[in-house]
Coordinates of all heavy atoms in Angstrom, one line a residue:
G112 N 9.5 106.4 -158.3 CA 10.0 105.1 -158.7 C 11.3 105.2 -159.4 O 12.2 104.4 -159.2
W113 N 11.5 106.3 -160.2 CA 12.8 106.5 -160.8 C 13.8 106.7 -159.8 O 15.0 106.2 -160.0 CB 12.7 107.7 -161.7 CG 11.8 107.8 -162.9 CD1 11.1 106.7 -163.4 CD2 11.3 108.9 -163.6 NE1 10.3 107.1 -164.4 CE2 10.4 108.5 -164.6 CE3 11.6 110.3 -163.5 CZ2 9.7 109.3 -165.4 CZ3 11.0 111.1 -164.4 CH2 10.1 110.7 -165.4
T114 N 13.5 107.4 -158.7 CA 14.6 107.7 -157.7 C 15.1 106.4 -157.1 O 16.2 106.2 -156.8 CB 14.1 108.6 -156.6 OG1 13.1 108.0 -155.8 CG2 13.6 109.9 -157.1
M115 N 14.1 105.4 -156.9 CA 14.5 104.1 -156.4 C 15.4 103.4 -157.3 O 16.4 102.8 -157.0 CB 13.3 103.3 -156.1 CG 12.4 103.9 -155.0 SD 10.7 103.1 -155.0 CE 11.1 101.5 -154.5
R116 N 15.0 103.4 -158.6 CA 15.8 102.7 -159.6 C 17.2 103.3 -159.7 O 18.2 102.6 -159.8 CB 15.0 102.9 -161.0 CG 15.7 102.4 -162.2 CD 15.8 100.8 -162.1 NE 16.7 100.4 -163.1 CZ 16.4 99.4 -164.0 NH1 15.2 98.9 -164.1 NH2 17.3 99.0 -164.9
Y117 N 17.3 104.6 -159.7 CA 18.6 105.3 -159.8 C 19.5 105.0 -158.6 O 20.7 104.8 -158.7 CB 18.4 106.8 -160.0 CG 18.3 107.2 -161.5 CD1 17.2 106.9 -162.2 CD2 19.3 107.9 -162.1 CE1 17.0 107.2 -163.6 CE2 19.2 108.3 -163.5 CZ 18.1 107.9 -164.2 OH 18.0 108.3 -165.5
A118 N 18.8 104.9 -157.4 CA 19.6 104.6 -156.2 C 20.2 103.2 -156.4 O 21.4 103.0 -156.1 CB 18.7 104.8 -155.0
L119 N 19.4 102.3 -156.8 CA 19.8 100.9 -156.9 C 20.9 100.8 -158.0 O 22.0 100.1 -157.8 CB 18.7 100.0 -157.3 CG 17.7 99.7 -156.2 CD1 16.5 98.8 -156.7 CD2 18.4 99.0 -155.1
D120 N 20.7 101.4 -159.1 CA 21.7 101.3 -160.2 C 23.0 102.0 -159.8 O 24.1 101.6 -160.3 CB 21.1 101.9 -161.5 CG 20.1 100.9 -162.1 OD1 20.0 99.8 -161.6 OD2 19.4 101.3 -163.1
A121 N 22.9 103.1 -159.0 CA 24.2 103.7 -158.6 C 24.9 102.7 -157.7 O 26.2 102.6 -157.8 CB 23.9 105.0 -157.9
A122 N 24.2 102.0 -156.9 CA 24.8 101.1 -156.0 C 25.5 99.9 -156.8 O 26.6 99.4 -156.4 CB 23.8 100.5 -155.0
R123 N 24.9 99.6 -157.9 CA 25.4 98.5 -158.7 C 26.5 99.1 -159.6 O 27.2 98.3 -160.4 CB 24.3 97.9 -159.6 CG 23.4 97.1 -158.8 CD 22.8 96.0 -159.7 NE 22.3 96.6 -160.9 CZ 21.0 96.6 -161.3 NH1 20.1 96.0 -160.5 NH2 20.6 97.1 -162.4
G124 N 26.7 100.4 -159.6 CA 27.8 101.0 -160.3 C 27.6 101.3 -161.8 O 28.2 100.7 -162.6
G125 N 26.7 102.2 -162.0 CA 26.8 102.8 -163.4 C 25.5 102.8 -164.1 O 24.6 102.1 -163.9
F126 N 25.5 103.8 -165.1 CA 24.3 104.1 -165.9 C 24.7 104.0 -167.3 O 23.9 104.4 -168.2 CB 23.8 105.5 -165.5 CG 23.5 105.6 -164.1 CD1 24.4 106.0 -163.1 CD2 22.2 105.4 -163.7 CE1 24.1 106.1 -161.8 CE2 21.8 105.6 -162.3 CZ 22.8 105.9 -161.4
G127 N 25.8 103.5 -167.7 CA 26.2 103.4 -169.1 C 26.7 104.8 -169.6 O 26.8 105.7 -168.8
D128 N 26.9 104.9 -170.9 CA 27.6 106.1 -171.4 C 26.6 107.2 -171.7 O 26.9 108.4 -171.6 CB 28.4 105.8 -172.6 CG 29.6 105.0 -172.2 OD1 30.1 105.1 -171.1 OD2 30.1 104.2 -173.1
D129 N 25.4 106.8 -172.1 CA 24.4 107.8 -172.6 C 23.3 108.0 -171.6 O 22.4 107.2 -171.5 CB 23.9 107.3 -174.0 CG 23.0 108.4 -174.6 OD1 22.5 109.3 -173.9 OD2 22.7 108.2 -175.8
A130 N 23.5 109.1 -170.8 CA 22.5 109.3 -169.8 C 21.1 109.5 -170.3 O 20.1 109.1 -169.6 CB 22.9 110.6 -168.9
G131 N 20.9 110.2 -171.4 CA 19.6 110.4 -172.0 C 19.0 109.1 -172.4 O 17.8 108.8 -172.0
A132 N 19.7 108.2 -173.0 CA 19.2 106.9 -173.5 C 18.8 106.0 -172.2 O 17.8 105.4 -172.2 CB 20.2 106.2 -174.4
Y133 N 19.7 106.1 -171.2 CA 19.5 105.3 -170.0 C 18.1 105.8 -169.4 O 17.3 105.0 -169.0 CB 20.6 105.5 -169.0 CG 20.3 104.8 -167.7 CD1 20.6 103.5 -167.6 CD2 19.8 105.5 -166.7 CE1 20.3 102.8 -166.4 CE2 19.5 104.9 -165.5 CZ 19.8 103.5 -165.3 OH 19.5 102.9 -164.2
F134 N 18.0 107.1 -169.3 CA 16.7 107.6 -168.7 C 15.5 107.1 -169.5 O 14.5 106.7 -168.9 CB 16.7 109.1 -168.7 CG 15.4 109.7 -168.2 CD1 15.0 109.6 -166.9 CD2 14.6 110.4 -169.2 CE1 13.7 110.1 -166.6 CE2 13.4 110.9 -168.8 CZ 12.9 110.7 -167.5
M135 N 15.6 107.1 -170.8 CA 14.4 106.7 -171.6 C 14.2 105.2 -171.4 O 13.0 104.7 -171.4 CB 14.6 107.0 -173.1 CG 14.6 108.4 -173.5 SD 13.2 109.3 -172.8 CE 11.9 108.8 -173.9
R136 N 15.2 104.4 -171.1 CA 15.1 103.0 -170.9 C 14.4 102.7 -169.6 O 13.5 101.9 -169.6 CB 16.4 102.3 -171.0 CG 16.3 100.8 -171.4 CD 17.7 100.2 -171.8 NE 18.7 100.4 -170.8 CZ 19.8 101.1 -170.9 NH1 20.0 101.7 -172.1 NH2 20.7 101.1 -170.0
V137 N 14.9 103.3 -168.5 CA 14.3 102.9 -167.2 C 13.1 103.9 -166.8 O 12.4 103.5 -165.9 CB 15.3 102.9 -166.1 CG1 16.5 102.0 -166.4 CG2 15.8 104.3 -165.8
G138 N 13.0 105.0 -167.5 CA 12.0 106.0 -167.1 C 10.6 105.7 -167.7 O 9.6 106.2 -167.2
T139 N 10.5 104.8 -168.6 CA 9.2 104.5 -169.2 C 9.1 103.0 -169.4 O 10.1 102.3 -169.3 CB 9.0 105.2 -170.6 OG1 10.0 104.7 -171.5 CG2 9.0 106.7 -170.5
G140 N 7.8 102.5 -169.7 CA 7.6 101.1 -169.9 C 7.7 100.2 -168.7 O 7.5 100.7 -167.6
M141 N 8.0 99.0 -168.9 CA 7.9 98.0 -167.8 C 8.8 98.4 -166.6 O 8.3 98.3 -165.5 CB 8.3 96.6 -168.4 CG 7.6 95.5 -167.8 SD 5.8 95.9 -167.5 CE 5.3 94.7 -166.4
P142 N 10.1 98.8 -166.8 CA 10.9 99.2 -165.7 C 10.2 100.2 -164.8 O 10.2 100.2 -163.6 CB 12.2 99.7 -166.3 CG 12.2 99.1 -167.7 CD 10.8 99.0 -168.1
A143 N 9.6 101.2 -165.5 CA 9.0 102.3 -164.8 C 7.7 101.8 -164.0 O 7.4 102.3 -162.9 CB 8.6 103.5 -165.7
V144 N 7.0 100.9 -164.7 CA 5.8 100.3 -164.1 C 6.1 99.6 -162.8 O 5.5 99.8 -161.7 CB 5.0 99.4 -165.0 CG1 3.9 98.6 -164.3 CG2 4.4 100.1 -166.2
I145 N 7.2 98.8 -162.8 CA 7.6 98.1 -161.7 C 8.0 99.0 -160.5 O 7.5 98.8 -159.4 CB 8.8 97.1 -162.0 CG1 8.3 96.1 -163.0 CG2 9.4 96.5 -160.7 CD1 9.4 95.2 -163.6
T146 N 8.8 100.0 -160.8 CA 9.2 100.9 -159.7 C 8.0 101.7 -159.2 O 7.9 102.0 -158.0 CB 10.4 101.7 -160.0 OG1 10.1 102.4 -161.3 CG2 11.7 100.9 -160.1
H147 N 7.1 102.1 -160.1 CA 5.9 102.8 -159.7 C 5.1 102.0 -158.7 O 4.7 102.5 -157.6 CB 5.2 103.2 -160.9 CG 3.7 103.5 -160.7 ND1 3.2 104.5 -159.9 CD2 2.6 102.9 -161.2 CE1 1.9 104.5 -159.9 NE2 1.5 103.5 -160.7
L148 N 4.8 100.8 -159.1 CA 4.0 99.9 -158.2 C 4.7 99.7 -156.9 O 4.0 99.7 -155.8 CB 3.7 98.6 -158.9 CG 2.8 98.7 -160.2 CD1 2.6 97.3 -160.8 CD2 1.5 99.4 -159.9
L149 N 6.0 99.5 -156.9 CA 6.7 99.3 -155.7 C 6.6 100.5 -154.8 O 6.3 100.4 -153.6 CB 8.2 99.1 -156.1 CG 9.1 98.3 -155.1 CD1 8.5 96.9 -155.0 CD2 10.5 98.3 -155.6
F150 N 6.7 101.7 -155.4 CA 6.6 102.9 -154.6 C 5.2 103.1 -154.0 O 5.1 103.4 -152.8 CB 7.0 104.2 -155.4 CG 7.0 105.4 -154.6 CD1 8.1 105.8 -153.8 CD2 5.9 106.2 -154.5 CE1 8.1 106.9 -153.0 CE2 5.9 107.4 -153.8 CZ 7.0 107.8 -153.0
M151 N 4.2 102.8 -154.8 CA 2.8 102.9 -154.2 C 2.6 101.9 -153.1 O 2.0 102.2 -152.1 CB 1.8 102.7 -155.3 CG 1.4 104.0 -156.1 SD 1.0 105.4 -155.1 CE -0.4 104.9 -154.2
G152 N 3.2 100.7 -153.3 CA 3.1 99.7 -152.3 C 3.7 100.2 -151.0 O 3.1 100.0 -149.9
I153 N 4.8 100.8 -151.1 CA 5.5 101.3 -149.8 C 4.7 102.4 -149.2 O 4.5 102.4 -148.0 CB 6.9 101.8 -150.2 CG1 7.8 100.6 -150.7 CG2 7.6 102.4 -149.0 CD1 9.2 101.0 -151.2
T154 N 4.2 103.3 -150.0 CA 3.4 104.4 -149.5 C 2.1 103.9 -148.7 O 1.9 104.3 -147.6 CB 2.9 105.3 -150.6 OG1 4.1 105.7 -151.3 CG2 2.3 106.6 -150.0
V155 N 1.4 103.0 -149.4 CA 0.2 102.4 -148.8 C 0.6 101.6 -147.5 O -0.1 101.8 -146.4 CB -0.5 101.5 -149.8 CG1 -1.6 100.6 -149.1 CG2 -1.1 102.3 -150.9
A156 N 1.7 100.9 -147.5 CA 2.1 100.1 -146.4 C 2.4 101.0 -145.2 O 2.0 100.7 -144.0 CB 3.3 99.2 -146.7
I157 N 3.0 102.1 -145.5 CA 3.3 103.0 -144.4 C 2.1 103.7 -143.8 O 1.9 103.7 -142.6 CB 4.3 104.1 -144.9 CG1 5.7 103.5 -145.2 CG2 4.4 105.3 -143.8 CD1 6.7 104.5 -145.8
V158 N 1.2 104.1 -144.7 CA -0.1 104.7 -144.2 C -0.9 103.7 -143.4 O -1.5 104.0 -142.4 CB -0.9 105.3 -145.3 CG1 -2.2 105.8 -144.9 CG2 -0.1 106.5 -146.0
L159 N -0.9 102.4 -143.9 CA -1.6 101.4 -143.2 C -1.0 101.0 -141.9 O -1.6 100.8 -140.8 CB -1.6 100.1 -144.0 CG -2.7 100.0 -145.1 CD1 -2.6 98.6 -145.8 CD2 -4.1 100.1 -144.4
G160 N 0.3 100.8 -141.9 CA 1.0 100.3 -140.8 C 1.2 101.2 -139.6 O 1.6 100.8 -138.5

Side-chain angles (χ1 to χ4, degrees):
W113 300 343
T114 67
M115 295 164 65
R116 174 71 194 233
Y117 271 69
L119 286 176
D120 285 352
R123 288 207 313 243
F126 300 87
D128 292 332
D129 186 341
Y133 175 83
F134 172 70
M135 289 313 281
R136 201 166 58 244
V137 304
T139 58
M141 216 41 196
V144 170
I145 293 170
T146 49
H147 155 63
L148 294 178
L149 206 62
F150 183 83
M151 271 316 293
I153 296 172
T154 307
V155 168
I157 291 174
V158 171
L159 274 182

